[in-house]
């Protein structure tokens, strides 16, 4: 028979006794570690929600666990009543103006930080309320710097704390994008009263004005061209008359001979009962009218040139403003087409130098 | 019509078997107090059952729990400190070893070792007419054969679960000394901080329930053998298969109750 079977009772006895001893030791250690025989002081806090709080969650002070959440209840006034205990040896940390803050992370399960009041006082009475970090009282304590706020050392909680504002900003940006999209929709429908709608309306108006201006310039140019054609016709007529007169004067058998011949024009002029004289008078009168017409035409040309000189800066200004309006409009449309969140917004416009700096800088 | 008839017959048979099994469990539980009040008659059986199921399985349990504790610590300490959550290793050790793997792995090992042995032993007793001999001589076979085995296996499973925890947590401490040395006091402090009475109670309840399931299933299938020795291995296989299935279902139900 095997030794083990011969002493089966003893072997089993040792097996059982060791196991029972281990169990007793474990329970005693558990009791000591979990403070079954030590006093805890009870306090409570009120939260808006129990989402981040759980029974058993530890309350820490400068990295030390000083207490635990014991009970969470919903009151009749819809407040979340959280009852927690502070260990006896840390009760002096719970001074006046102390507050608590919930810090959570998905891995650690979260904890509650105890922030001590700045003024050293006696521990506050057991059963009192300790304000939370975000409550009105907590905000006031923080604003008045009556509490020592330490940063949590949990990197995940810190990261989450940094992510929250970013998410809030992203939320705002998305809301702005939605608003902008709606504004653009309204603007394209012509129902917007916002800045984008105003810009599009202004751009539309500027294009219409530019078209109107260009049409006006075209009309002036056409009219001027017609006037210049008319003037050129008059000048050509005068030139042709002068040419004929010169040809007549250059011909020795022509006008001069006729004039100087005894039987010619002079004699005729002197002896033809003023008939030739009247002809000459008529010719001179005709020449005078031609010269007067030429003078008038030259005056008109001068006036038109002066008008053009006067209007040139305004036309250039109008054209420049039109170009700038079109550039701005292109930038706005480019910005709308390029979603600001995705493609980096409105591209920087390259400055196009003008032919002059401003209307006032131009000499005219 | 033939199929309907067959389904009906099969259902009636299954219901009958279930009622029979429930009746068997009730009868065994009814005999437990009587056995405890008249322990002398079956005390040797009980002692031998604890010796076989508990003491002789200790080495297997110790090896497995040491290995699991080692793996958890190595994996945990290589990953968790990167998130600043190094102390989570204690919670993971408690959850895995104490609350979940300890009871179920212990029960599976007991089922594989003792469940098959009990089913085989009882099957042989039936084939060799020992059970009939008990009955003829006026000895209740349930009280003198089944109940000691039930108590022995249940108690052994409970103790083995305790040892599983001790070796698993101690083994992890030894490994911790190579990876990230901490003092024994700090290590136990972290473990005890993560351990709650609910965890202990859950582990104890599981080990007791699993031990009882293992013993009841094994004895039931062992006594199901009728006359041929070829039925014995079939009964052993069935006892292991049904036992494991019932263990997993019971584990899920108890874990569910823990979180409710």
């Amino acid at each position: 028979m095997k030794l083990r079977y011969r002493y089966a009772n003893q072997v089993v006895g040792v097996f059982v006794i060791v196991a029972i001893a281990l169990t007793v030791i474990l329970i005693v250690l558990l009791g000591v570690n979990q403070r079954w025989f030590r006093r805890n002081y009870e306090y409570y806090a009120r939260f808006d929600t129990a989402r981040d709080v759980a029974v058993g969650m530890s309350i820490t002070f400068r990295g030390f666990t000083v207490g635990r959440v014991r009970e969470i209840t919903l009151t009749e006034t819809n407040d979340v009543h959280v009852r927690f205990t502070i260990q006896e040896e840390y009760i002096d940390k719970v001074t006046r103006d102390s507050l608590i803050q919930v810090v959570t992370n998905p891995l650690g399960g979260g904890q509650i930080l105890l922030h001590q009041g700045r003024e050293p006082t006696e521990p506050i009475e057991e059963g009192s309320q300790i304000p939370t970090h975000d409550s009105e009282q907590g905000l006031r304590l923080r604003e008045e710097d009556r509490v020592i706020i330490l940063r949590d050392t949990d990197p995940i909680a810190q990261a989450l704390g940094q992510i929250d504002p970013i998410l809030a900003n992203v939320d705002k940006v998305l809301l702005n994008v939605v608003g902008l999209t709606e504004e653009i929709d309204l603007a394209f429908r012509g129902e917007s009263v916002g800045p984008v709608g105003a810009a599009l309306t202004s751009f539309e108006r500027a294009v219409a004005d530019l078209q109107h201006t260009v049409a006006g310039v075209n009309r002036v140019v056409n009219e001027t061209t017609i006037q210049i054609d008319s003037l050129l016709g008059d000048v050509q007529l005068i030139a042709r008359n002068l040419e004929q007169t010169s040809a007549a004067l250059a011909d020795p058998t022509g006008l001069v001979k006729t004039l100087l011949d005894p039987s010619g024009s002079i004699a005729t002029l002197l002896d033809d009962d003023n008939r030739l004289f009247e002809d000459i008078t008529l010719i001179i009168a005709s020449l005078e009218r031609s010269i007067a017409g030429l003078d008038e035409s030259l005056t008109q040309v001068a006036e038109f040139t002066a008008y053009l000189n006067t209007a040139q800066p305004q036309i250039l200004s109008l054209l420049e403003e039109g170009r700038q309006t079109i550039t701005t409009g292109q930038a706005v449309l480019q910005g709308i087409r390029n979603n600001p969140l995705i493609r980096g917004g409105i591209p920087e416009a390259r400055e196009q130098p003008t032919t002059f700096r401003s209307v006032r800088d131009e000499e005219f | 019509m033939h199929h309907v008839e067959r389904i009906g017959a099969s259902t009636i048979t299954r219901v009958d078997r279930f009622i029979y099994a429930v009746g068997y469990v009730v009868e065994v539980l009814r005999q437990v107090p009587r056995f405890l009040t008249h322990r002398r008659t079956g005390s040797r059986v009980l002692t031998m059952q604890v010796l076989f199921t508990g003491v002789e399985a200790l080495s297997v349990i110790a090896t497995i729990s040491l290995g699991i504790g080692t793996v958890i610590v190595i994996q945990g300490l290589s990953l968790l400190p990167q998130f600043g959550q190094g102390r989570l290793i204690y919670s993971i050790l408690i959850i895995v070893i104490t609350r979940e793997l300890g009871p179920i792995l212990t029960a599976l090992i007991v089922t594989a070792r003792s469940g098959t042995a009990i089913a085989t032993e009882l099957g042989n007793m039936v084939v060799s007419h020992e059970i009939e001999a008990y009955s003829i001589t006026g000895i209740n076979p349930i009280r003198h054969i089944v109940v000691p085995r039930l108590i022995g296996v249940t108690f052994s499973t409970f103790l083995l679960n305790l040892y599983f925890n001790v070796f698993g947590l101690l083994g992890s401490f030894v490994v911790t000394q190579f990876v990230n040395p901490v003092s024994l006091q700090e290590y136990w402090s972290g473990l005890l901080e993560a351990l709650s009475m609910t965890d202990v109670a859950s582990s104890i309840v599981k080990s007791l329930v699993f031990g009882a399931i293992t013993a009841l299933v094994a004895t039931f299938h062992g006594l199901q053998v009728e006359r041929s020795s070829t039925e014995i291995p079939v009964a052993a296989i069935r006892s292991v298969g049904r036992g494991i299935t019932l263990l997993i279902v019971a584990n899920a139900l108890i874990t569910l109750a823990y979180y409710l």
Side-chain angles (χ1 to χ4, degrees), chain B residues 91-111:
Chain B
S91 297
I92 293 173
L93 278 169
I94 293 299
I95 289 170
V96 174
I97 291 181
T98 302
R99 205 192 298 170
E100 292 300 330
L101 274 189
I104 191 72
L105 269 182
T106 305
L108 289 176
I109 291 165
V110 169
T111 300

Side-chain angles (χ1 to χ4, degrees), chain A residues 173-186:
Chain A
V173 170
L174 288 175
L175 284 174
N176 287 337
V177 169
V178 170
L180 180 64
T181 309
E182 290 173 354
E183 182 74 18
I184 289 169
D185 285 343
L186 288 172

Side-chain angles (χ1 to χ4, degrees), chain A residues 1 4-5 8-9 11-12 15-16 18-19 22-23 26 29-30 33-34 36 65 68 105 107-108 154-156, chain B residues 44 47-48 50-51 54-56 58 83-85 88 155 159-160 162-163 166 189 192-193 195-197 200:
Chain A
M1 191 182 219
R4 184 185 297 172
Y5 297 142
N9 287 334
V11 173
V12 170
F15 179 70
V16 172
V18 170
L22 288 172
T23 308
L26 176 72
L29 286 174
L30 195 61
N33 193 268
Q34 299 196 349
W36 291 352
T65 300
R68 284 193 186 282
N105 75 58
L107 290 176
D154 185 342
I156 292 177
Chain B
R44 183 66 183 170
T47 303
M48 295 308 289
V50 174
L51 179 71
V55 178
E56 292 188 357
L58 191 57
F83 302 104
Q85 301 293 326
L88 264 185
F155 190 51
L159 295 177
L160 284 175
L162 187 68
Y163 281 107
V166 170
S189 172
L192 292 172
E193 193 178 324
L195 182 67
S196 68
M197 272 309 290
V200 176

Side-chain angles (χ1 to χ4, degrees), chain A residues 2-270:
Chain A
K2 273 186 175 181
L3 193 68
R4 184 185 297 172
Y5 297 142
R6 185 183 299 170
Y7 297 103
N9 287 334
Q10 288 84 342
V11 173
V12 170
V14 170
F15 179 70
V16 172
I17 286 169
V18 170
I20 290 173
L22 288 172
T23 308
V24 170
I25 291 170
L26 176 72
I27 290 173
V28 169
L29 286 174
L30 195 61
V32 170
N33 193 268
Q34 299 196 349
R35 305 173 39 78
W36 291 352
F37 312 108
R38 301 290 295 273
R39 187 174 174 208
N40 291 322
Y41 290 81
E42 283 194 5
Y43 295 96
Y44 74 94
R46 289 185 184 278
F47 290 86
D48 293 332
T49 173
R51 190 186 60 191
D52 297 329
V53 194
V55 173
M57 182 182 277
S58 60
I59 296 167
T60 60
F61 175 74
R62 294 177 183 264
F64 286 86
T65 300
V66 297
R68 284 193 186 282
V69 173
R70 298 296 176 191
E71 188 184 37
I72 302 171
T73 51
L74 185 63
T75 64
E76 290 180 355
T77 55
N78 290 334
D79 283 331
V80 177
H81 185 282
V82 176
R83 184 173 66 83
F84 58 93
T85 55
I86 299 292
Q87 296 171 13
E88 187 179 18
E89 55 266 40
Y90 297 112
I91 190 62
D92 59 329
K93 309 300 179 192
V94 190
T95 56
R96 189 161 50 84
D97 298 335
S98 295
L99 55 84
I100 58 174
Q101 178 187 9
V102 179
V103 180
T104 58
N105 75 58
L107 290 176
Q111 58 185 351
I112 294 177
L113 302 180
L114 173 67
H115 300 297
Q116 195 179 23
R118 192 168 291 285
E119 294 295 327
T121 63
E122 288 294 313
I124 58 176
E125 189 181 352
E126 185 179 9
S128 307
Q129 179 182 1
I130 297 182
T132 57
H133 187 260
D134 298 326
S135 65
E136 287 183 14
Q137 195 179 347
L139 288 171
R140 196 173 62 248
L141 288 173
R142 285 193 287 153
E143 284 172 1
E144 295 171 2
D145 196 25
R146 286 158 60 187
V147 61
I148 304 167
I149 302 288
L150 295 174
R151 283 180 58 199
D152 179 43
T153 53
D154 185 342
I156 292 177
Q158 281 182 24
L160 288 175
Q162 290 172 359
I163 287 171
D164 279 344
I166 295 171
L167 288 177
N169 285 336
V170 169
D171 190 36
K172 281 181 186 172
V173 170
L174 288 175
L175 284 174
N176 287 337
V177 169
V178 170
L180 180 64
T181 309
E182 290 173 354
E183 182 74 18
I184 289 169
D185 285 343
L186 288 172
F188 280 132
R189 288 204 299 268
E191 300 169 2
S192 173
V193 292
V196 176
L200 286 174
T201 307
S202 170
F203 176 62
E204 190 180 14
R205 196 180 301 127
V207 170
D209 288 347
L210 183 65
Q211 286 175 344
H212 180 70
T213 305
V214 170
V217 170
N218 283 336
R219 192 170 57 249
V220 169
V221 169
N222 286 336
E223 288 173 358
T224 309
T225 305
I226 292 167
Q227 288 177 357
I228 289 173
D229 286 345
S230 171
L231 285 172
L232 287 175
D234 291 344
V235 170
Q236 282 176 349
L237 183 63
I238 292 164
R240 208 165 32 248
N241 288 338
L242 287 175
E243 189 179 1
Q244 287 174 358
T245 305
S246 299
L249 288 173
D251 187 2
T253 60
L255 182 60
V256 176
K257 185 176 184 293
T258 304
L259 288 173
L260 297 177
D261 191 354
S263 58
S265 296
I266 298 297
T268 305
L269 177 66
L270 296 173

